[in-house]
Amino acid sequence: MTTPAYSGLGPALTYVHERPLEPGTLVRVPLGQREVLGLVWEAPGLSLEGLEPGQARAVLQVFDAIPPLDAAWRGLASFAARYYQRSLGEVALAALPPQLRDLQAEQLARKLKRLAKAAGSSTKGGHQPDAANSNAGAPAAESAADNSAPPELSPEQAVALQRFQADDRPALLFGTTGSGKTEVYLRAVQELLEQDPQAQALVMVPEINLTPQLEARFRERFARWGVVALHSGLTPAQRLDHWLLAHQGRARILLGTRMAIFASLPQLRLIVVDEEHDPSYKSQEGARYSARDLAIYRAKRESEGRSPGHCRVLLGSATPSLESWRAAEIGRYLKLEMPQRIGGGALPRLRLVNMNHQPKQCVLAPALLESIAERAARGEQSMILLNRRGYAPVLACHACGWKSDCPHCSAHAVFHKIDRTLRCHHCGHSARVPYACPDCGNLDIAPVGRGTEQLEEQIAGLLADARRADGGPIRVLRLDADSTRAKGSLEQQLAGMHEGEFDVLVGTQMIAKGHDFRRITLVASVNADGGLFASDYRAPERLFALLLQAAGRAGRDASFVASQGTAVELWVQTWYPEHPLFAALAQHDYPAFAAQQLQEREEALMPPYSFQALVRAEARTQEAAQALLNLAAQAGEALPGREHLTLYPAVPMAIQRVANIERAQMLIESDSRPALQAFLAAWQEQLQLARSRPEAKGVLRWAIDVDPQAI
């Protein structure tokens, strides 16, 4: 049975059972005074000879009601644990539905009977069962007709699909926003499932808010196949039901976020990774895995011992990650290109607003404000992007210099005007807004900076005298993590936007990707400069992707734009209009931007031309956190692969203190991935030993992040 690293029990524990158990079988076993879920694993050469009677405890229950997790799934878990420097138990058990860990074998058997009964009734009634109130379940009657006929493919879509089917390599679908990438995904899934009556497909999206939209499209198209979702927005019961349906092969299509890469799909033949560039595919806690990279490995693992290309991977993006772009450039991936929008719609024209020439303290440039009002009067919509939620990043007293700092973090508490609170977005601390400065008593404390709450309020005020097409006042909608917290609120607000109830959409990056708004003809970014000069070398790549993805929300309905006679535009307010990033953005020229960035990366020997790992330590004091990392670095001088590595000194993290815990990090670079992996595997012991040194007293935990996405 596998165990997590922090348990201190070693990589696996030995139990006995009256009969041999197949690897991958789920069991319940005693651990101390508790009963826990375990997973039977291969144990080559294991012998029970020499064990005293009773020394190895007995397995309590065997989950015979479901098939064992297959060799391909176990291979994926083993690789992820090995590559991302975590224990096998942490990866394998964390990949299972949480509710499964609490069930007895007989409880699981009853749940499976209920699912089977629901599937049977759906077959008789001609509709899918409502698995755990989730509107997802087993397939309905195979003879049921699909709800809608697929649209005719454009020539570019047809060529991309044909080339994908004819080549075994992982494919990168580089298609401009609005070029119809989703339809290519749908057709690839459809052709697979029609050819193989057992095949399963996994379709991944970066964020939960995109899952319901994609799920609706798949359900509309594939009424006769089981479609289930897997993401953190589901209840524990829903996650378990969906996992079981996929594991049993009853669900042929699984949609999900990054956690779905570990779903058990015994007949997996296709993996689609939409918006493959998105940082959300990289986990930032536990095993810090990249779901995109694991998709490539999983497809290769599923194809071992079978025909080439038995399981295929299709990565899609209008702004691919530089790692994937280079892999396609050198031929390791198949590059599929779709540069034209469906229906011949034009891409937005860039209009840079030089803020050096605008009135002081202006929120939106007068010309931009006028354009938004004109479009609303014609029945068009506008979208304003500000990637900062709350009303203001900080409250400040200009008399004494007091700022609304979080008492537990080295960060400011954000001012939320709606409920008059100061909230830390790092530790969750919340406090009421003081009536006066806590330090000097000054009543004139004021917000500094701007968040989406304030922008919504200011735009509504600036457009108070403008009118929409029906003569009513202009309506502004805000979409961010705060406004969509209530269950169902995101879907409801998006529906209002699609139906034309709102004229201006204000939001964070959650509005910039994946949404198919038909009436938006103007997109504006009001604070893009932060990504131009950030310390993280990936910041320009992320900014370019965000702006291009946001621009793609405009002009998606070519017939609507033509009937309006409107110019589709992307406005960017900036203090640095001469920055070279904007030259590539004006041409929607991702290849040119990627070439420039890759040249800089190659000259600096940065990824993808080198390989990195970050080691992070958390402790009661900053000195202890840094001491752990520096002591371990000194002890690792003779370890395998060290000659190919550069270990930088430990430094505080950008947000140094979170929830009263000090944080430090050390960057490791190498020109050899095998050398980096060999060093990290051997270095774990040195980190553990360094923790016992007096200088590192107070260290709470440490973690290795392989291929970090943020430094």
Side-chain angles (χ1 to χ4, degrees), residues 530-577:
L532 297 178
F533 307 105
S535 58
D536 191 336
Y537 68 90
R538 295 183 188 272
E541 177 186 1
R542 288 187 178 145
L543 176 60
F544 189 88
L546 179 63
L547 292 177
L548 205 59
Q549 293 282 341
R553 301 316 106 202
R556 296 179 73 86
D557 189 334
S559 60
F560 175 75
V561 173
S563 67
Q564 296 291 105
T566 294
V568 181
E569 294 178 333
L570 167 66
W571 294 62
V572 178
Q573 296 191 163
T574 176
W575 296 89
Y576 309 97

Side-chain angles (χ1 to χ4, degrees), residues 306-349:
R306 296 164 173 166
S307 59
H310 174 82
C311 183
R312 302 293 316 286
V313 179
L314 179 57
L315 311 176
S317 177
T319 54
S321 64
L322 291 180
E323 288 81 0
S324 296
W325 183 258
R326 181 169 182 267
E329 291 279 271
I330 63 178
R332 190 154 57 90
Y333 292 176
L334 170 68
K335 186 196 293 184
L336 308 171
E337 299 187 69
M338 298 196 310
Q340 301 298 321
R341 283 188 146 185
I342 294 294
L347 291 168
R349 177 168 63 97

Side-chain angles (χ1 to χ4, degrees), residues 382-400:
S382 301
M383 187 176 90
I384 315 298
L385 177 68
L386 175 60
N387 202 24
R388 179 180 289 160
R389 61 191 177 98
Y391 190 86
V394 62
L395 281 184
C397 172
H398 298 294
C400 71

Side-chain angles (χ1 to χ4, degrees), residues 269-350:
R269 296 285 307 279
L270 173 66
I271 305 175
V272 175
V273 185
D274 189 26
E275 308 290 4
E276 65 86 31
H277 67 279
D278 199 288
S280 299
Y281 283 120
K282 183 71 158 69
S283 173
Q284 297 302 319
E285 56 187 24
R288 289 167 167 79
Y289 63 89
S290 165
R292 179 198 66 210
D293 296 346
L294 287 181
I296 301 295
Y297 176 83
R298 183 168 189 178
K300 179 182 177 182
R301 186 73 174 78
E302 294 280 350
S303 298
E304 288 180 359
R306 296 164 173 166
S307 59
H310 174 82
C311 183
R312 302 293 316 286
V313 179
L314 179 57
L315 311 176
S317 177
T319 54
S321 64
L322 291 180
E323 288 81 0
S324 296
W325 183 258
R326 181 169 182 267
E329 291 279 271
I330 63 178
R332 190 154 57 90
Y333 292 176
L334 170 68
K335 186 196 293 184
L336 308 171
E337 299 187 69
M338 298 196 310
Q340 301 298 321
R341 283 188 146 185
I342 294 294
L347 291 168
R349 177 168 63 97
L350 177 65

Side-chain angles (χ1 to χ4, degrees), residues 461-673:
L462 291 168
L463 296 174
D465 296 330
R467 288 295 178 265
R468 52 186 288 161
D470 61 7
I474 287 179
R475 300 186 62 190
V476 181
L477 171 67
R478 173 171 57 89
L479 280 182
D480 55 29
D482 298 315
S483 68
T484 58
R485 188 167 295 161
K487 185 175 179 60
S489 60
L490 174 62
E491 292 80 1
Q492 182 180 359
Q493 292 176 68
L494 285 174
M497 190 68 188
H498 287 296
E499 293 166 8
E501 295 179 15
F502 301 97
D503 307 286
V504 181
L505 174 63
V506 174
T508 56
Q509 64 178 2
M510 68 185 295
I511 67 174
K513 50 198 172 187
H515 302 289
D516 190 23
F517 300 118
R518 311 304 291 177
R519 303 183 190 184
I520 286 181
T521 58
L522 180 148
V523 171
S525 174
V526 299
N527 187 23
D529 290 345
L532 297 178
F533 307 105
S535 58
D536 191 336
Y537 68 90
R538 295 183 188 272
E541 177 186 1
R542 288 187 178 145
L543 176 60
F544 189 88
L546 179 63
L547 292 177
L548 205 59
Q549 293 282 341
R553 301 316 106 202
R556 296 179 73 86
D557 189 334
S559 60
F560 175 75
V561 173
S563 67
Q564 296 291 105
T566 294
V568 181
E569 294 178 333
L570 167 66
W571 294 62
V572 178
Q573 296 191 163
T574 176
W575 296 89
Y576 309 97
E578 303 302 323
H579 194 282
L581 181 146
F582 295 126
L585 184 65
Q587 302 299 320
H588 295 267
D589 194 348
Y590 175 81
F593 172 78
Q596 178 263 331
Q597 286 289 301
L598 285 172
Q599 181 180 352
E600 289 185 5
R601 300 266 187 101
E602 186 174 19
E603 291 171 356
L605 290 179
M606 304 292 280
Y609 301 97
S610 66
F611 309 95
Q612 294 180 334
L614 267 181
V615 187
R616 299 184 174 98
E618 297 181 359
R620 297 298 181 191
T621 65
Q622 183 64 214
E623 293 74 18
Q626 293 190 34
L628 172 80
L629 301 176
N630 290 326
L631 286 169
Q634 295 168 12
E637 289 298 323
L639 294 180
R642 178 63 182 86
E643 65 275 14
H644 296 284
L645 272 62
T646 300
L647 275 69
Y648 293 90
V651 295
M653 291 182 64
I655 306 297
Q656 177 174 324
R657 179 168 51 93
V658 172
N660 294 320
I661 302 299
E662 294 286 338
R663 311 188 305 166
Q665 66 182 20
M666 174 178 285
L667 178 64
I668 306 174
E669 289 184 339
S670 177
D671 58 358
S672 166
R673 193 192 300 273

Side-chain angles (χ1 to χ4, degrees), residues 198-220:
Q198 302 298 321
Q200 294 175 295
L202 169 61
V203 181
M204 293 198 298
V205 294
E207 295 185 24
I208 294 174
N209 69 77
L210 300 181
T211 309
Q213 302 168 67
L214 195 65
E215 187 175 358
R217 291 193 65 174
F218 270 82
R219 290 194 184 286
E220 180 183 10

